[in-house]
Amino acid sequence: MTLLEKIEYLEQLLNQTEENFADTFKADIIMYFDDDFSEENSQLLFLDNLNSKKEIENWIEKLTSRFVMKLDSEFETENDFIYDYLENG
């Protein structure tokens, strides 16, 4: 997949209808990327490390699951949480 294809797929997944509580955090992820799903957004370069649609799906699933299990909104923001995930996995 090209970077543009990965970005488009990520955007598509993040904009899907919410099916569970974890999906509610997709809006936070969209805001983190400033709703800018273009190749010019350097924050999306992490997609270079993902090689398939399944890996992109897993990335979203892991991040939203971590939101549910570990986000402590009294001590960190959603943006800090996403940034840490991108930097440290």
Side-chain angles (χ1 to χ4, degrees), residues 17-78:
T17 305
E18 297 172 7
E19 295 180 13
N20 56 49
F21 179 66
D23 286 345
T24 63
F25 293 102
K26 289 179 179 178
D28 294 307
I29 299 169
I30 291 169
M31 286 189 302
Y32 177 80
F33 295 121
D34 296 323
D35 203 15
D36 176 14
F37 290 91
S38 69
E39 290 179 286
E40 288 76 35
N41 186 345
S42 63
Q43 294 174 314
L44 294 169
L45 292 179
F46 77 94
L47 289 167
D48 283 335
N49 298 320
L50 304 178
N51 298 308
S52 68
K53 289 182 176 184
K54 187 63 176 170
E55 287 181 11
I56 296 169
E57 293 165 13
N58 288 341
W59 183 88
I60 293 172
E61 185 176 321
K62 283 182 183 178
L63 179 54
T64 56
S65 295
R66 285 186 185 188
F67 264 109
V68 172
M69 302 199 53
K70 295 184 179 184
L71 176 68
D72 187 344
S73 58
E74 289 186 34
F75 297 103
E76 62 190 336
T77 67
E78 287 83 352

